[in-house]
């Protein structure tokens, strides 16, 4: 009897990235309000990816390890971009209602060409696509700051383009097994092989974005600046996996993705990345900074205190995972499956206070500060915890905290839920997470001693100069060479010593029941706990 078998596998992978670019920028011409600036450029990059796993892996003959196919993808990308800034009015004009107004117009074009190697279930493929995406922004100061302070209104519209990576383009599949139901009733075994991989014909993701906001520094509160920007993102053609059961249920819409044997039984399902997902995201970015200079009290300089509040409010995150599914809201909850995974809390912010020592004193290099990081509470993956699966939607008035249409009986079969629509006892919220960071640093800025003047080392040699008695004498000039001071002052000057501590109170991340791997959300938190560090930096 063989007790164990060991196999040593070998895998070789390479990635090459040749690059070339040309840029040109400057002022094109002058306008009454100022110069019109421009920038333009040309770029090229090539991506060469090749992965050669062991033959046991590519033939799906390993046990206890992952099986996947070899892949090779080549891509060439050419890009051009142009941008121009046009000032319309300037402060020198002092126009009422248009103290300062400027526009920025930009555009980027890209051309993609890629080739992928054949696999056991795909032929070699070639694809091309291009993009032409504009950006337009405006910045407007309506009034002279001497009236109400500096008020700036700003807005931006842009279109984004994200091409799939070379890995996402590779049709090489990784082998898993999944339980399925064959609607044709031709597959006796419910557990079939599934190859999960990229798609050589995958198209780019596109997005349409706009934002508008304001920045205000009132003149009656010196040192205060507040800003707020509302933003909106409409993401289309996002890549995602539909799942083997969805492909089988809609086999006619996915030609070649369901492979059957001569009896009609399903032998293999290809679950490739497809352009199927869409999302709409909206939110508010806000910030308030107050810098208190002790000099305003006319009692001397005791340093400067800077306080900051910076945060984001996620108002809306609607996601459509599959073409025939309805759009669902994900903001304010944890999502464990699909294209977008992880926590999407409504509120995230930090509050900080930093003190800088007074200038022209030995405390000038002293800085100390504290930062509080806050992640607001949010719903756990209650769609999973309550059994209210997406396919049981919609129920009038149903939310992720309420029960779905169906529950499982003792045999695991779905039956009608008499409590559908009522709040589930399994629904829960993830607690807020608050951590404190501290940091202190000192930079040595010591006065340097004046270097002694050394005669006779100037490169232009001696010169004839007139002396007080009216005679000329040849005198060696003072050297113009610079001498760096030596000793402990030279090594200490420009040195910064920093001592810091993260998560001072050693706060554990909040428990997330939907995160099965570690029971916390790795995208927002970590488990390293209290962490202190010392840093020494020297500038020469």
């Amino acid at each position: 009897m063989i007790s164990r078998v060991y196999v040593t596998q070998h895998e070789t992978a390479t990635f090459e990235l040749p690059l070339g670019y040309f840029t040109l920028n400057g002022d094109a011409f002058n306008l009454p309000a100022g110069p019109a600036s421009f920038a333009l450029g040309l770029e090229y990059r090539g991506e060469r990816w090749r992965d050669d796993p062991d033959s046991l892996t590519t033939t799906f003959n390993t046990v206890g390890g992952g099986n996947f196919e070899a892949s090779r993808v080549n891509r060439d990308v050419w890009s051009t971009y142009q941008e121009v800034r046009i000032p319309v009015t300037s402060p020198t004009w002092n126009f009422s209602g248009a103290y300062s107004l400027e526009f920025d117009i930009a555009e980027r074009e890209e051309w993609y060409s890629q080739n992928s190697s054949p696999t056991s279930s795909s032929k070699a493929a070639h694809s091309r696509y291009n993009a032409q995406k504009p950006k337009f922004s405006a910045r407007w100061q309506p009034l002279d700051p001497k009236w109400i302070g500096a008020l700036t209104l700003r807005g931006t519209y842009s279109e984004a383009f994200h091409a799939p990576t070379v890995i996402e383009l590779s049709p090489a599949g990784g082998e898993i097994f999944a339980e399925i139901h064959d609607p044709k009733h031709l597959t006796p075994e419910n557990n079939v092989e599934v190859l999960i991989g990229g798609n050589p014909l995958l198209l780019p993701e596109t997005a349409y974005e706009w934002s508008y906001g304001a920045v205000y520094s009132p003149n009656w509160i010196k040192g205060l600046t507040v800003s707020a920007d509302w933003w909106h993102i409409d993401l289309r053609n996002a890549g995602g996996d539909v799942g083997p059961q969805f492909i089988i249920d809609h086999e006619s819409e996915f030609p070649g993705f369901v492979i059957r044997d001569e009896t009609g039984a399903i032998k293999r399902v290809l679950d490739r990345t497809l352009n199927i997902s869409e999302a709409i995201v909206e939110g508010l970015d806000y910030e308030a900074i107050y810098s208190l200079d002790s000099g305003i009290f006319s009692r001397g300089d005791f340093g400067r205190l800077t306080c900051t509040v910076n945060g984001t409010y996620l108002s809306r995150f609607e996601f459509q995972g599959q073409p025939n599914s309805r759009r669902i809201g994900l903001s304010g909850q944890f999502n464990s499956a699909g294209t977008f995974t992880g926590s999407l809390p409504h509120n995230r912010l930090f509050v900080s206070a930093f003190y800088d020592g007074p200038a022209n004193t030995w405390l000038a290099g002293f800085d100390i500060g504290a930062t509080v990081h806050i992640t607001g509470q949010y719903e756990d993956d209650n769609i999973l915890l309550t059994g209210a699966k997406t396919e049981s939607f919609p129920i009038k008035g149903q939310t992720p905290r309420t029960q779905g249409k169906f529950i499982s009986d003792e045999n695991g079969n779905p039956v009608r839920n008499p409590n559908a629509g009522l709040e589930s006892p399994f629904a829960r919220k993830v607690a807020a997470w608050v951590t404190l960071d501290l940091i202190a640093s000192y930079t040595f800025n010591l006065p340097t001693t004046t270097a002694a003047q050394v005669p006779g080392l100037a490169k232009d040699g001696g010169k004839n100069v007139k002396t007080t008695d009216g005679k000329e004498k040849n005198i060696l000039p003072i050297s113009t060479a610079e001498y760096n001071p030596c000793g402990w002052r030279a090594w200490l000057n420009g040195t910064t010593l920093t001592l810091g501590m993260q998560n001072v109170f050693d706060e554990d991340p909040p428990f997330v029941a939907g995160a099965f791997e570690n029971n916390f959300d790795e995208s927002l938190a970590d488990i390293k706990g209290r962490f202190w560090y010392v840093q020494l930096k020297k500038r020469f």
Side-chain angles (χ1 to χ4, degrees):
M1 181 179 66
I2 300 177
S3 60
R4 59 181 64 89
V5 175
Y6 294 102
V7 176
T8 301
Q9 295 181 289
H10 300 276
E11 179 181 3
T12 303
T14 59
F15 182 78
E16 299 177 5
L17 185 65
L19 298 170
Y21 57 89
F22 168 81
T23 60
L24 180 65
N25 59 75
D27 295 335
F29 50 85
N30 289 321
L31 295 173
S37 305
F38 77 95
L40 56 88
L42 173 67
E43 298 178 358
Y44 166 80
R45 75 175 185 272
E47 300 175 24
R48 312 286 185 258
W49 161 258
R50 179 165 186 153
D51 183 23
D52 294 307
D54 192 90
S55 59
L56 290 175
T57 301
T58 58
T59 55
F60 302 157
N61 285 320
T62 62
V63 177
N67 290 316
F68 50 93
E69 299 173 301
S71 63
R72 186 176 71 252
V73 181
N74 295 331
R75 167 188 277 171
D76 295 292
V77 185
W78 290 91
S79 306
T80 63
Y81 63 88
Q82 311 85 34
E83 183 174 3
V84 60
R85 185 187 68 88
I86 304 173
V88 180
T89 64
S90 69
T92 57
W93 293 17
N94 200 21
F95 277 177
S96 179
Y99 181 74
S100 176
L101 177 64
E102 66 181 42
F103 298 105
D104 190 280
I105 303 172
E107 187 174 69
R108 185 178 183 90
E109 300 86 14
E110 291 190 332
W111 294 267
Y112 287 77
S113 176
Q114 48 256 326
N115 300 280
S116 61
S117 61
T119 66
S120 61
S121 57
S122 284
K123 297 180 180 179
H126 172 72
S127 63
R128 289 184 178 181
Y129 42 76
N130 57 72
Q132 186 176 17
K133 298 300 179 182
K135 178 182 178 181
F136 177 80
S137 64
R139 180 181 176 275
W140 176 34
Q141 282 185 273
L143 300 174
D144 190 328
K146 69 181 181 181
W147 298 109
I148 62 171
L151 173 63
T152 302
L153 305 177
R154 58 193 180 188
T156 301
Y157 171 80
S158 62
E159 297 180 8
F161 174 90
H162 173 67
T165 65
V166 291
I167 303 299
E168 293 172 329
L169 290 171
S170 172
E175 182 190 43
I176 67 169
F177 289 87
E179 291 188 5
I180 57 93
H181 168 69
D182 185 2
K184 296 183 180 180
H185 304 288
L186 298 175
T187 307
E189 296 291 336
N190 292 334
N191 200 25
V192 301
E193 181 190 32
V194 179
L195 289 187
I196 299 178
N199 184 356
L201 302 180
L202 192 65
L203 298 176
E205 300 174 355
T206 57
Y208 302 86
E209 309 170 7
W210 53 260
S211 67
Y212 57 86
V215 183
Y216 182 48
S217 298
N219 52 14
W220 61 83
I221 307 179
K222 188 176 181 180
L224 175 64
T225 300
V226 295
S227 65
D229 291 278
W230 182 265
W231 46 268
H232 172 98
I233 302 174
D234 186 354
L235 177 63
R236 304 177 185 179
N237 287 334
D241 301 321
V242 297
Q245 188 60 58
F246 183 88
I247 295 173
I248 294 171
D249 293 340
H250 303 82
E251 185 174 350
S252 60
E253 301 176 23
F254 299 92
F257 280 52
V258 179
I259 301 173
R260 297 177 180 269
D261 60 19
E262 59 278 1
T263 65
I266 298 175
K267 180 181 178 181
R268 174 184 291 177
V269 180
L270 307 181
D271 191 3
R272 303 199 184 284
T273 304
L274 301 173
N275 297 104
I276 57 170
S277 303
E278 297 182 0
I280 296 179
V281 189
E282 289 182 341
L284 176 70
D285 292 337
Y286 56 90
E287 183 179 56
I289 301 175
Y290 180 62
S291 182
L292 177 62
D293 193 337
S294 60
I296 64 174
F297 300 109
S298 302
R299 292 290 189 269
D301 185 4
F302 297 98
R304 184 174 65 253
L305 178 66
T306 302
C307 300
T308 303
V309 177
N310 183 293
T312 296
Y313 175 74
L314 181 62
S315 171
R316 180 185 179 193
F317 196 121
E318 295 184 354
F319 172 66
Q320 182 177 354
Q322 296 177 351
N324 69 336
S325 64
R326 75 181 185 93
R327 187 178 293 170
I328 59 175
L330 300 179
S331 59
Q333 66 184 58
F334 177 82
N335 184 40
S336 62
T339 304
F340 302 98
T341 58
S343 300
L344 298 169
H346 285 299
N347 291 291
R348 293 185 66 189
L349 71 151
F350 71 83
V351 182
S352 66
F354 282 82
Y355 170 77
D356 300 321
N360 302 318
T361 68
W362 67 273
L363 283 174
F366 180 65
D367 300 290
I368 187 171
T371 302
V372 178
H373 301 272
I374 304 172
T375 300
Q377 68 175 3
Y378 52 93
E379 300 284 345
D380 209 325
D381 190 3
N382 291 327
I383 292 180
L384 175 67
L385 300 178
T386 64
K389 298 183 183 300
T390 306
E391 56 265 27
S392 71
F393 282 5
I395 297 175
K396 187 176 181 180
Q398 183 171 354
T399 69
R401 298 185 66 85
T402 56
Q403 302 182 44
K405 279 184 179 182
F406 303 100
I407 57 176
S408 299
D409 61 14
E410 61 275 7
N411 298 320
N413 299 316
V415 296
R416 286 281 179 178
N417 183 6
N419 298 319
L422 300 180
E423 183 162 337
S424 171
F426 301 105
R428 65 181 304 274
K429 284 189 175 183
V430 178
W433 195 42
V434 182
T435 59
L436 171 66
D437 297 344
L438 298 176
I439 187 172
S441 67
Y442 188 83
T443 301
F444 294 89
N445 294 302
L446 303 178
T448 57
T449 57
T450 304
Q453 296 178 339
V454 182
L457 297 180
K459 61 183 179 182
D460 53 356
K463 291 185 178 180
N464 292 329
V465 297
K466 287 186 177 182
T467 60
T468 55
D469 58 3
K471 298 180 181 180
E472 291 188 352
K473 298 180 69 176
N474 188 273
I475 298 177
L476 291 176
I478 299 299
S479 172
T480 57
E482 294 182 358
Y483 294 87
N484 291 325
C486 299
W488 65 271
R489 284 181 173 270
W491 287 104
L492 197 58
N493 198 36
T495 300
T496 301
L497 178 63
T498 302
L499 175 64
M501 180 177 292
Q502 299 176 359
N503 195 355
V504 174
F505 297 108
D506 199 20
E507 295 288 338
D508 291 329
F511 172 75
V512 182
F516 296 109
E517 182 180 7
N518 295 314
N519 288 128
F520 75 96
D521 182 16
E522 299 176 7
S523 66
L524 290 184
D526 58 67
I527 56 173
K528 65 183 180 183
R530 183 186 296 113
F531 176 81
W532 66 272
Y533 59 93
V534 177
Q535 182 185 65
L536 182 65
K537 182 173 65 175
K538 165 66 179 174
R539 295 185 62 183
F540 295 93

